[in-house]
């Protein structure tokens, strides 16, 4: 079967780089004496349109024909398809309990996602044939006003689909073809009584662009599966796909892949951000002055940045420009790529400066760190029999609290027999504010906004040489560990490596002699040192409630 996507990204790509899996790379990174036990991969969604157009009067973004079709198929599969002519209510928490029954606790949040974040664009199509256009389900007089290729704001584009397909193809090349770590044929495994959820855990935030990115990554990793969903060009996002690949999600209030913005002592650092706060730094002040001096967008940019923002004053400008470049568009003549990247650096600084403080790591992302730690600890506790037989693996624990499954006919809680087991491979579809902060916690020192499709990978290894295990167990037995990791868990002989895109991260705690692998070096932590690094970041629910404080009541 030929791949539906070119292996090479377009020349204007703004996607993250991935390692080149050369023989030399594989020999260096995966030596024979190390056994890969588990990989947890977090990924940012693919290229999308800007969340909002503020700088330019660009009325259409004609890059979403395949994305529109696939998402309409998904919405039908989960029973969320709404005819185009039906008005979708604006999310409004104050409407809960009122006369309009469409407003419930699940649909009232600003970005609830599952029902209203995808919006009308995701549900107004009926395919005739993907290459021959679409039939509009709306009113006859609306057919002239809407092009089936048109994207809405914040929507994953066809270019974004292709990028995540390439990410999935990379994962297949590494974990299937070269390492033989996971099965090559998911349908064959299922036919022999092995459920995918015995070794594969898939989770996405409830944003449509992330759900679609997760689909595209799985299509790249397992092209042509399920066979019933393959149309010769692409794998449909239909009920058969969802039956084969159990994708989990959560309502916004339960999601740990965003910052914990329900925590007052965390969110207070992100509201009403002004340019004056950070223009005391010369490099940021220079970016500001260069931007407002531009003839093309300077006046509008100045107006935008003069208002307080959530997170960053620079990000709305950068987001619009980088989305333009990522879809082959040309920047205004007086806007250079260097200035665009500098805007991204200023935005990244504003968004993440608090994440360098351990208390804000704890309040904002400690829950996610705990999800990672628990999943890794359960893998390290597996017996040889459980490692050899996926169906013998225990179920995942409390780290799946709040999980829903995107199932044919609806979005629901998993049945008991659908509960995922401790995975070999876990895939987490998220955002820049998922990958960026977690990479900082793990020692990254980025100076730029993370590219589309960025990946953060946690790999757990076991050294198969018994002498190494015994020596390490003696040195690390008394190191601190999160309360969710059992004290009797034996960590000797286990190691963790963290990779951001194509760069291996240096976890600070692991630089100390005795806290990393003797041959692989300080970038490969002992499991005990990895736990020690994250111990102060992870709080109990009781501690988190106390440390977050009370959210002030809005004034009338």
């Amino acid at each position: 079967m030929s791949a539906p996507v070119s292996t090479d990204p377009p020349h204007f790509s703004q996607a993250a780089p991935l390692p080149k899996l050369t023989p030399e790379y594989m020999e260096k990174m995966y030596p024979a004496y190390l056994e890969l036990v588990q990989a947890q991969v977090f990924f940012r969604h693919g290229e999308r349109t800007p969340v909002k157009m503020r700088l330019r009067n660009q009325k259409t973004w004609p890059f979403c024909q395949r994305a529109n079709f696939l998402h309409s198929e998904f919405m039908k599969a989960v029973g969320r398809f709404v005819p185009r002519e039906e008005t979708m209510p604006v999310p409004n928490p104050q409407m809960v309990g009122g006369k309009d029954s469409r407003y419930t606790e699940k649909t009232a949040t600003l970005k609830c996602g599952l029902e209203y974040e995808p919006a009308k664009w995701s549900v107004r199509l009926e395919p005739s044939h993907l290459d021959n256009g679409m039939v509009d389900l709306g009113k006859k007089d609306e057919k002239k006003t809407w092009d089936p290729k048109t994207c809405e704001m914040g929507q994953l584009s066809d270019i974004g689909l292709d990028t995540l397909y390439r990410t999935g193809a990379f994962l297949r090349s590494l974990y299937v073809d070269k390492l033989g770590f996971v099965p090559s044929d998911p349908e064959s495994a299922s036919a022999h009584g092995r459920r995918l959820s015995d070794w594969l855990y898939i989770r996405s935030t409830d944003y449509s662009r992330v759900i679609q990115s997760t689909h595209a990554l799985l299509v790249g990793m397992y092209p042509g599966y399920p066979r019933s969903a393959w149309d010769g060009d692409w794998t449909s996002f239909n009920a058969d796909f969802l039956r084969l690949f159990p994708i989990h999600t959560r309502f916004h209030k339960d999601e740990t892949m965003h910052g914990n913005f329900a925590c007052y002592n965390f969110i207070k650092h992100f509201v009403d951000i002004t340019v004056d706060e950070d223009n005391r730094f010369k490099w940021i002040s220079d970016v500001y002055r260069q931007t407002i001096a531009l003839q093309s967008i300077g006046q509008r940019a100045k107006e935008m940045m003069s208002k307080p923002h959530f997170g960053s004053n620079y990000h709305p400008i950068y987001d619009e420009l980088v989305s333009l470049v990522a879809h082959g568009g040309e920047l205004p003549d007086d806007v250079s790529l260097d200035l665009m990247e500098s805007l991204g650096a200023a935005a990244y600084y504003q968004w993440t400066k608090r994440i360098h403080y351990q208390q804000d790591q704890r309040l904002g992302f400690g829950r996610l760190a705990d999800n990672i730690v628990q999943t890794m600890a359960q893998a390290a506790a597996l017996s040889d029999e459980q490692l050899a037989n996926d169906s013998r693996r225990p179920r995942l624990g409390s780290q799946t609290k709040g999980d829903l499954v995107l199932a044919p006919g609806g979005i629901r809680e998993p049945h008991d027999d659908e509960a995922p087991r401790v995975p070999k491979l876990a895939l987490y579809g998220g955002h820049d504010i998922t990958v960026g902060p977690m990479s900082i916690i793990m020692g990254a020192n980025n100076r730029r906004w993370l590219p589309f499709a960025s990946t953060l990978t946690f790999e757990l290894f076991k050294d198969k040489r018994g002498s190494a295990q015994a020596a390490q167990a003696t040195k690390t037995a008394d190191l601190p560990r999160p309360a969710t990791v059992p004290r009797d868990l034996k960590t000797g002989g286990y190691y963790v490596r963290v990779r951001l895109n194509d760069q291996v991260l240096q976890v600070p705690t692991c630089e100390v002699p005795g806290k990393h692998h003797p041959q692989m070096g300080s970038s490969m932590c002992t499991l005990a040192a990895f736990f020690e690094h994250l111990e102060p970041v992870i709080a109990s629910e009781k501690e988190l409630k106390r440390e977050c404080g009370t959210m002030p009541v809005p004034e009338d």
Side-chain angles (χ1 to χ4, degrees), residues 435-446:
V435 177
M438 281 307 304
S439 67
I440 291 172
I441 292 171
M442 301 315 302
N445 190 24
N446 300 315

Side-chain angles (χ1 to χ4, degrees), residues 181-475:
F181 181 57
V182 294
S184 61
D185 181 344
E187 285 186 311
S188 175
S190 298
H192 288 85
R194 295 176 64 195
R195 303 176 66 97
L196 261 67
S197 56
D198 287 347
W199 57 268
L200 176 64
Y201 177 64
I202 312 164
R203 188 174 129 207
S204 164
T205 69
D206 61 2
Y207 283 64
S208 57
R209 57 179 172 265
V210 183
I211 293 172
Q212 276 200 276
S213 293
T214 303
H215 165 250
L217 181 145
L218 290 166
V219 172
M221 188 171 178
Y222 286 112
Y225 295 98
R227 294 175 178 85
S228 57
W230 175 250
D231 68 1
D233 293 314
W234 192 267
T235 304
S236 178
F237 201 178
N238 60 15
D240 287 345
F241 187 91
L242 293 175
R243 288 188 188 97
L244 180 61
F245 294 103
I247 301 174
H248 300 85
T249 191
R250 298 180 183 179
F251 288 116
H252 204 74
K253 64 183 179 64
D254 299 320
E255 186 54 75
T256 61
M257 285 196 282
H258 307 301
N260 185 10
F261 293 118
C263 175
Y264 172 65
N265 285 329
F266 179 71
I267 195 175
K268 69 181 183 181
H269 299 297
F270 296 87
V271 297
D272 295 334
I273 300 297
T274 65
V275 291
D276 293 339
E277 293 178 36
D278 297 303
N279 277 1
R280 66 184 186 277
F281 298 111
K282 183 180 183 303
W283 74 273
I284 293 183
S285 178
D286 289 345
V287 174
Y288 177 79
R289 288 187 294 98
Q290 292 174 41
T291 302
I292 64 174
L294 296 170
Q295 183 176 355
S296 58
I297 63 172
Q299 184 58 39
R300 184 70 185 113
K302 184 177 181 180
E303 293 172 3
M304 291 166 57
M305 290 190 289
S306 67
K307 302 174 183 178
H309 279 68
F310 185 85
S312 170
N313 309 89
Y314 293 93
H315 183 257
I317 301 169
Y318 171 74
D319 182 64
E320 191 168 332
L321 296 176
V322 77
S323 296
L324 178 68
V325 173
H327 291 87
E330 295 184 0
L331 293 171
D333 291 340
D334 56 349
V335 180
S336 67
L337 283 173
D338 285 344
L339 178 57
M340 183 188 79
E341 292 298 336
S342 294
L343 284 162
Y348 192 74
Y349 172 79
Q350 285 189 310
W351 255 110
T352 63
K353 61 185 177 182
R354 294 298 311 186
I355 309 302
H356 291 274
Y357 294 92
Q358 190 175 87
Q359 182 64 10
D360 291 295
Q361 296 175 1
R362 180 178 171 93
L363 298 182
F365 295 92
R367 300 178 305 162
L368 180 56
D370 192 36
N371 291 169
I372 298 167
V373 161
Q374 286 193 55
T375 301
M376 193 175 292
Q378 282 192 270
L382 294 174
S383 67
D384 291 341
E385 180 186 7
Q386 290 168 330
L387 285 169
N389 188 337
D390 296 338
S391 63
R392 298 281 186 179
R393 293 169 174 255
R395 305 288 183 184
L396 282 173
S398 61
Q399 66 267 46
T400 62
K401 181 181 178 181
D403 273 10
L404 303 170
V405 64
L406 301 176
I411 301 162
R412 55 172 174 76
E413 294 182 358
H415 298 147
D416 289 344
D417 63 347
E418 294 175 322
R421 298 184 185 277
V422 177
K424 285 184 172 181
L425 177 64
L427 304 172
Y428 303 87
H431 306 259
D432 37 23
I433 61 168
T434 309
V435 177
M438 281 307 304
S439 67
I440 291 172
I441 292 171
M442 301 315 302
N445 190 24
N446 300 315
R447 301 292 184 184
R448 56 170 294 194
W449 198 267
L450 285 183
F452 294 109
S454 286
T455 57
L456 183 67
T457 303
F458 298 80
E459 292 179 319
L460 174 66
F461 294 90
K462 182 178 182 180
D463 194 315
K464 293 183 286 188
R465 300 169 299 182
S467 57
Q469 296 182 36
Q472 188 203 124
T474 302
K475 294 178 181 178

Side-chain angles (χ1 to χ4, degrees), residues 172-189:
R172 180 180 181 86
S173 179
L174 177 59
Y175 294 125
V176 176
D177 299 337
K178 295 187 180 299
L179 295 177
F181 181 57
V182 294
S184 61
D185 181 344
E187 285 186 311
S188 175

Side-chain angles (χ1 to χ4, degrees), residues 81-111:
F81 190 86
V82 180
R84 184 180 180 188
E85 61 269 19
E86 180 172 326
T87 300
M88 304 287 277
V90 176
N92 185 349
Q94 297 179 358
M95 295 290 287
V96 176
K99 295 181 180 180
D100 192 335
S101 62
R102 294 175 298 179
Y103 288 98
T104 68
E105 290 185 0
K106 292 182 178 180
T107 62
T109 56
L110 179 64
K111 287 286 186 183

Side-chain angles (χ1 to χ4, degrees), residues 523-537:
S523 62
M524 182 171 276
C525 301
T526 64
L527 180 57
F530 181 81
F531 287 157
E532 179 191 12
H533 181 75
L534 289 178
E535 187 272 335
V537 176

